[in-house]
Amino acid sequence: MKLATLCDGTPDGRLVVVSRDLSRAVAAGATRPHLISVLSHWEQERLQLQALYDSLNAGTAADSFAFDPCHCMAPLPRSPQWLDASAFLNHGRLMETAFNTPPIPKFDTVPVMYQGASDDFLGPCDDVPLPSEADGIDFEGEFGVVVDRVPLGATPAEALAAVRLVVQINDWSLRALGPHEMATGFGFLQAKPSTSFAPVAVTPDELGDAWQAGRVHLALHVQLNGQRFGEPHGREMNFDFGQLVAHAARTRRLSAGTIVGSGTVSNVSRAAGSACLAERRVIEIIDTGQARTPFMRFGDRVSMQAHFDDGRPGPFGRIDQQVVAARQP
Amino acid sequence: MKLATLCDGTPDGRLVVVSRDLSRAVAAGATRPHLISVLSHWEQERLQLQALYDSLNAGTAADSFAFDPCHCMAPLPRSPQWLDASAFLNHGRLMETAFNTPPIPKFDTVPVMYQGASDDFLGPCDDVPLPSEADGIDFEGEFGVVVDRVPLGATPAEALAAVRLVVQINDWSLRALGPHEMATGFGFLQAKPSTSFAPVAVTPDELGDAWQAGRVHLALHVQLNGQRFGEPHGREMNFDFGQLVAHAARTRRLSAGTIVGSGTVSNVSRAAGSACLAERRVIEIIDTGQARTPFMRFGDRVSMQAHFDDGRPGPFGRIDQQVVAARQP
């Protein structure tokens, strides 16, 4: 099942069911206007949404309409918690070099994770307003999961069983601000502005064999200003989503609709390229002694689209965004 | 004006206006059931709430009832963002000693701040379920503000003008988990379980002269298991709330209802005592070479109540909570 949220001027938008081929959509209905409330009553709601999805795919849904991903907000325009890990250790190890920071303790046995703002997500085609090019504007292509309620102390298996939807994410990052915030020990805050999401959130069955061992086995194709940037593959994630969600729930309950991210998709093979500028820059530093690829300027565009191993486009649709100067308040 | 949220089994509870002396309450009304929606329409709502407050104080409000703080949830049971600073530098400097961490860079010129869970706050008398006494269970007595919308890039003066309510907070902390999370650079996550709030949120005018220079000039009286623990004073806050809120809004918009905390209230004079165990413990280490005060055990209680300089109780009511073992999921 594929779900999206259309912009209607309200904070939570309007939930729609999207056809498997992303061509058509139909309103989820007056009794389920918002994805967040559907997630809070998943067992009651999912069968009726599935029936709607089946009829939409069969071409028999009443009142269906053409689906335009650029009318989408994030699938969950705001959510109870947004927790982002760094579960591709290859990326983290390269970033330690970039930030010239000491090795993260227990990095390969205990996930690292920060809490980001979850009240103001961006949709897949929204402009990305940021205050200054001097902040080191960067993208981070990721996968993530949306969970049902997770009790405090859930095991990784219990946590994985609570996954309801899979999403594709651009975790915007301001690299000039990150090293200071890491050095304080309090973690990222200013370095992490609003996060963006691909238009469609999908139930794990939409991934077929690509949802495997709690990981998204898709390549994430990233383009910067229309040029190929990389297509790292999700299979190399060092912690699975069950481990990440259980880490988050070690001392707190997670409300239905909590989103947990993988961190930047990153592969050991350099042939895959990267899903963020910082990683390419540190590889340049390692190889040549200096970074040549600049961070983003206002007007630059990044697009991200997952792909199955057989070349078919992934189920989430495409993120395609432009960075712009934030208006002065 | 004083506002509280009564528990009614729903996630956002039921908003009530509370009399100045905390003895009576009256429902805010069917059109404003939740504090979060009032904050989203503050200019329209505040005059009518003020009229209700005035009639309640005059004894003429229809349908008023006895106010019981132990029927309260947090004033905002969930909020868009919960951002907690460490704005009493005396505390931070002592904690560096406790954690044996390097000095936080720019600590006296740039606020440090982490983002905590804001989807599951605890009320003033709620039990505090935690997984293990071995985690180093500690309280942190704080003040905080609830803001209206704050645009990205707001100045400290603009940010201070967006303060709508002042609150009193217990930022529960798990000290055995903090040092590792600080060392990763990703900041506190497991070390910060659900945060608790005193029953009543107040408009700044309720503080009179005690709301001064963007700070809460009240002493925070803390008792542990009925014994005096400390009464540090809010006036020594090194950054004001305008600076803290502007720091938070440097690269993101803040939604109405965002809560920004001061961090543990802490005074240079040791005669004031402390508002958390970790601070007393590190003073013991400095003085005698070892900590003697243990962290909390299940069954221990902490209470916190602000006081004006003339001895009158502060406007927020009292936090009085017991730590209990979390049930296994």
Side-chain angles (χ1 to χ4, degrees):
Chain A
M1 182 158 63
K2 300 189 177 187
L3 301 169
T5 293
L6 296 184
C7 183
D8 67 353
T10 67
D12 294 305
R14 186 164 64 90
L15 180 63
V16 296
V17 179
V18 183
S19 64
R20 180 164 289 123
D21 66 1
L22 305 188
S23 69
R24 306 287 296 172
V26 63
T31 62
R32 51 187 83 86
H34 305 138
L35 181 51
I36 190 68
S37 53
V38 164
L39 286 161
S40 299
H41 305 92
W42 184 253
E43 284 310 313
Q44 297 98 293
E45 299 288 5
R46 72 182 175 87
L47 292 179
Q48 292 179 68
L49 287 172
Q50 181 71 43
L52 210 49
Y53 182 59
D54 292 342
S55 68
L56 185 64
N57 287 325
T60 58
D63 302 321
S64 78
F65 52 89
F67 176 64
D68 181 349
C70 282
H71 288 165
C72 285
M73 305 169 80
L76 276 174
R78 50 185 185 174
S79 87
Q81 294 191 51
W82 155 233
L83 305 164
D84 199 17
S86 183
F88 290 85
L89 300 189
N90 184 64
H91 171 75
R93 295 212 170 95
L94 287 168
M95 292 300 286
E96 286 172 4
T97 311
F99 284 161
N100 194 25
T101 49
I104 292 175
K106 303 185 192 172
F107 191 48
D108 46 8
T109 55
V110 180
V112 293
M113 191 174 283
Y114 78 91
Q115 178 151 12
S118 57
D119 60 333
D120 188 31
F121 292 136
L122 296 174
C125 304
D126 289 343
D127 282 348
V128 182
L130 292 171
S132 171
E133 292 177 336
D135 289 340
I137 301 168
D138 199 358
F139 47 87
E140 289 197 356
E142 310 194 357
F143 298 113
V145 294
V146 182
V147 294
D148 205 329
R149 276 177 212 85
V150 177
L152 188 156
T155 64
E158 290 163 344
L160 191 59
V163 169
R164 297 288 168 262
L165 299 169
V166 185
V167 291
Q168 183 195 311
I169 298 168
N170 183 358
D171 175 41
W172 289 98
S173 296
L174 300 173
R175 300 298 184 186
L177 308 178
H180 168 75
E181 293 190 327
M182 292 190 82
T184 68
F186 275 59
F188 303 120
L189 191 94
Q190 294 183 344
K192 296 291 185 178
S194 287
T195 301
S196 302
F197 288 76
V200 178
V202 306
T203 48
D205 58 288
E206 291 289 328
L207 292 170
D209 292 343
W211 178 246
Q212 204 178 113
R215 292 165 174 84
V216 176
H217 286 238
L218 300 176
L220 186 57
H221 289 232
V222 179
Q223 292 195 313
L224 177 62
N225 294 324
Q227 303 293 312
R228 178 259 181 191
F229 195 81
E231 54 286 312
H233 200 282
R235 74 165 84 82
E236 288 188 28
M237 196 164 131
N238 295 74
F239 298 100
D240 70 46
F241 279 110
Q243 291 170 294
L244 298 184
V245 174
H247 179 86
R250 158 84 167 77
T251 64
R252 62 173 69 178
R253 302 185 287 198
L254 307 182
S255 303
T258 293
I259 304 171
V260 176
S262 65
T264 309
V265 180
S266 177
N267 290 168
V268 172
S269 165
R270 290 201 190 166
S274 295
C276 71
L277 287 163
E279 187 174 302
R280 178 185 278 191
R281 285 167 55 88
V282 70
I283 290 170
E284 291 168 350
I285 291 170
I286 292 167
D287 287 354
T288 73
Q290 71 176 53
R292 287 170 299 127
T293 304
F295 289 116
M296 292 179 82
R297 307 291 299 268
F298 297 141
D300 284 347
R301 299 193 74 87
V302 66
S303 80
M304 300 180 178
Q305 160 94 56
H307 283 264
F308 288 97
D309 288 349
D310 61 9
R312 283 177 300 134
F316 311 109
R318 178 186 298 275
I319 291 175
D320 188 358
Q321 292 183 288
Q322 177 183 217
V323 173
V324 301
R327 280 181 303 173
Q328 293 306 305
Chain B
M1 183 157 62
K2 300 188 176 188
L3 301 169
T5 293
L6 296 183
C7 183
D8 67 352
T10 66
D12 294 307
R14 185 164 65 88
L15 180 64
V16 296
V17 179
V18 182
S19 64
R20 180 165 290 122
D21 66 0
L22 304 189
S23 69
R24 307 287 296 172
V26 63
T31 62
R32 52 187 81 87
H34 304 138
L35 181 51
I36 189 69
S37 54
V38 164
L39 286 161
S40 298
H41 305 91
W42 185 252
E43 285 310 313
Q44 297 99 293
E45 299 289 5
R46 71 183 175 86
L47 291 179
Q48 291 178 69
L49 287 172
Q50 181 71 44
L52 210 49
Y53 181 59
D54 293 341
S55 67
L56 186 64
N57 288 325
T60 58
D63 302 321
S64 79
F65 52 89
F67 176 64
D68 181 350
C70 282
H71 288 165
C72 285
M73 306 169 81
L76 276 173
R78 50 186 185 174
S79 86
Q81 295 192 48
W82 154 232
L83 304 165
D84 199 17
S86 183
F88 290 85
L89 300 189
N90 184 65
H91 171 75
R93 296 213 170 95
L94 287 168
M95 293 300 286
E96 286 174 4
T97 312
F99 284 162
N100 195 25
T101 48
I104 293 175
K106 303 183 192 171
F107 190 47
D108 45 8
T109 55
V110 180
V112 294
M113 192 175 281
Y114 78 91
Q115 179 152 11
S118 58
D119 60 333
D120 188 30
F121 292 136
L122 297 174
C125 305
D126 288 343
D127 283 348
V128 182
L130 292 170
S132 171
E133 292 176 338
D135 289 341
I137 301 167
D138 199 358
F139 47 87
E140 288 197 355
E142 309 193 358
F143 298 113
V145 294
V146 183
V147 294
D148 205 329
R149 277 177 212 84
V150 177
L152 188 156
T155 65
E158 290 163 343
L160 191 60
V163 170
R164 296 289 169 260
L165 299 168
V166 185
V167 292
Q168 182 195 311
I169 298 168
N170 182 358
D171 175 41
W172 289 99
S173 295
L174 300 173
R175 301 297 184 187
L177 308 178
H180 168 75
E181 293 191 327
M182 291 190 84
T184 68
F186 276 59
F188 303 121
L189 191 93
Q190 293 182 344
K192 296 291 185 178
S194 287
T195 300
S196 303
F197 288 76
V200 177
V202 306
T203 48
D205 59 288
E206 291 289 328
L207 292 169
D209 291 344
W211 177 245
Q212 204 177 114
R215 293 165 174 83
V216 176
H217 285 238
L218 299 175
L220 186 57
H221 289 232
V222 179
Q223 291 195 312
L224 177 61
N225 294 324
Q227 303 293 313
R228 179 259 180 190
F229 195 81
E231 53 287 312
H233 199 281
R235 74 166 83 82
E236 287 187 29
M237 196 164 133
N238 295 75
F239 298 99
D240 70 47
F241 278 110
Q243 291 170 294
L244 298 184
V245 174
H247 179 86
R250 159 84 167 77
T251 63
R252 62 174 71 178
R253 300 185 289 198
L254 308 182
S255 303
T258 293
I259 303 170
V260 177
S262 66
T264 309
V265 180
S266 177
N267 291 168
V268 172
S269 165
R270 290 201 189 166
S274 295
C276 71
L277 287 163
E279 187 174 302
R280 177 184 278 190
R281 285 167 55 88
V282 70
I283 290 171
E284 292 169 350
I285 291 170
I286 292 168
D287 287 354
T288 73
Q290 71 175 53
R292 287 170 299 130
T293 303
F295 288 117
M296 291 179 82
R297 307 290 300 268
F298 297 142
D300 284 346
R301 298 193 75 87
V302 66
S303 81
M304 300 179 178
Q305 159 94 55
H307 283 264
F308 287 97
D309 288 349
D310 62 8
R312 284 176 300 135
F316 311 109
R318 177 187 298 275
I319 292 175
D320 187 358
Q321 291 183 288
Q322 178 183 218
V323 172
V324 301
R327 279 180 305 174
Q328 294 304 305

